[in-house]
Amino acid sequence: MNNKTKVKVENLNCFYDDFQALKDINMEIKSKEITALIGPSGCGKSTFLRCLNRMNDLIEGARIEGIVCIDDYDIYQNGTDVVSLRKKVGMVFQQPNPFPKSIYDNIAYGPRIHGIKDRSRLNEIVEKSLKNSALWEEVKDRLDTSALDLSGGQQQRLCIARALAVEPDILLMDEPASALDPVATSRIEDLMKDLAENYTIVIVTHNMQQAARISDRTGFFLMGELIEFDRTETIFEKPAQQKTEDYITGRFG
């Protein structure tokens, strides 16, 4: 197990105008592991996730205090190039959101924005990204058809491929399987386990069984606080906090 710290969060607070969404969060996310974030709706999981690639910058009234270091670089310091940050820290959302373009152009979109114009290079990136997202065999003969014709599970794997196409180090996934059926969910979970060999993955999930199945470490959030963060088996089998145990055993939430 690789125990190098990829992301170090110190005393992180997040406010939306007067509302404090995150309270003094401290966490170390390890490289090439899957870190799951669990907790009831509105507890701050997705807000925390968006802090890791500064997506909260896009929300009016959002204010961040504290430090988020990726590879020892504080992403909130002045002069940070947010475009290159979001290239390094890709994001996959709850609802699949392919562009109304061809499958090929969905994947090539990011590399083109970052200056890659050579068709043979784009072809390589498209094929590699689709292979890495376990979609290549299903779509290789129809790359010019609309991405919107794909099934929900295929669309979500396409969105993962699109994120991979710009060669990120970190993948953020905000409930990537919650809109999918069990078969598609299982494929996404298998895919995440494969991707964790090369990427650092942080996933928000409402599905505690999913967190237990796929993650190396789990953080339990409640009302904006990180109640407990540990190896996944510890969280689910021997939690240190009563609140964690109550949530996991279904006493609330």
Side-chain angles (χ1 to χ4, degrees):
M1 189 68 72
N2 179 339
N3 281 324
K4 178 175 177 286
T5 296
K6 185 70 177 175
V7 184
K8 188 171 186 180
V9 178
E10 297 181 57
N11 306 324
L12 179 70
N13 294 282
C14 176
F15 301 86
Y16 296 126
D17 295 319
D18 296 333
F19 173 71
Q20 187 167 0
L22 293 174
K23 301 166 186 169
D24 222 24
I25 307 295
N26 292 277
M27 183 186 289
E28 287 193 17
I29 295 168
K30 301 298 182 182
S31 177
K32 295 182 184 173
E33 287 190 358
I34 299 176
T35 299
L37 310 177
I38 62 171
S41 294
C43 67
K45 309 182 295 290
S46 294
T47 294
F48 177 78
L49 199 70
R50 290 193 301 267
C51 288
L52 303 181
N53 67 347
R54 292 190 50 171
M55 289 288 278
N56 287 318
D57 292 16
L58 307 173
I59 299 173
E60 194 156 342
R63 189 172 90 257
I64 304 291
E65 296 171 355
I67 295 171
V68 177
C69 283
I70 297 178
D71 294 330
D72 299 325
Y73 177 86
D74 180 6
I75 65 171
Y76 282 93
Q77 65 181 304
N78 289 338
T80 296
D81 181 343
V82 178
V83 173
S84 63
L85 168 68
R86 293 189 189 134
K87 179 175 184 283
K88 184 174 184 172
V89 187
M91 189 146 191
V92 177
F93 297 92
Q94 180 172 358
Q95 293 289 342
N97 59 341
F99 303 137
K101 300 172 179 286
S102 71
I103 293 167
Y104 184 99
D105 285 338
N106 264 270
I107 310 295
Y109 181 83
R112 281 175 176 143
I113 281 184
H114 293 287
I116 296 174
K117 299 285 187 273
D118 179 63
R119 182 74 184 194
S120 62
R121 179 80 187 99
L122 288 171
N123 290 347
E124 283 172 24
I125 291 170
V126 169
E127 181 172 341
K128 181 183 176 190
S129 302
L130 287 167
K131 282 180 173 172
N132 285 346
S133 64
L135 193 57
W136 174 250
E137 289 302 324
E138 294 165 52
V139 303
K140 63 183 180 184
D141 298 324
R142 50 179 177 137
L143 295 177
D144 292 333
T145 62
S146 171
L148 303 180
D149 293 341
L150 297 172
S151 71
Q154 289 174 323
Q155 286 186 10
Q156 193 61 300
R157 280 182 283 143
L158 180 75
C159 292
I160 292 169
R162 190 174 67 195
L164 297 177
V166 295
E167 301 185 327
D169 288 349
I170 300 170
L171 269 183
L172 309 179
M173 297 185 162
D174 196 352
E175 298 201 45
S178 67
L180 305 179
D181 64 62
V183 174
T185 295
S186 178
R187 296 200 68 164
I188 296 285
E189 289 181 6
D190 290 343
L191 174 58
M192 282 191 272
K193 285 189 267 196
D194 290 342
L195 290 173
E197 293 176 15
N198 296 301
Y199 302 90
T200 303
I201 296 175
V202 187
I203 174 174
V204 165
T205 179
H206 267 108
N207 183 331
M208 283 189 282
Q209 290 79 17
Q210 183 174 74
R213 278 194 301 266
I214 65 166
S215 68
D216 300 288
R217 295 172 204 270
T218 297
F220 169 53
F221 282 76
L222 185 65
M223 297 176 73
E225 295 181 27
L226 179 60
I227 304 298
E228 190 167 350
F229 180 62
D230 210 326
R231 297 202 66 81
T232 295
E233 59 267 26
T234 304
I235 291 286
F236 282 94
E237 293 166 19
K238 297 192 293 282
Q241 302 294 325
Q242 187 64 45
K243 286 176 180 174
T244 311
E245 185 170 330
D246 288 348
Y247 182 70
I248 283 167
T249 55
R251 291 197 191 108
F252 77 88

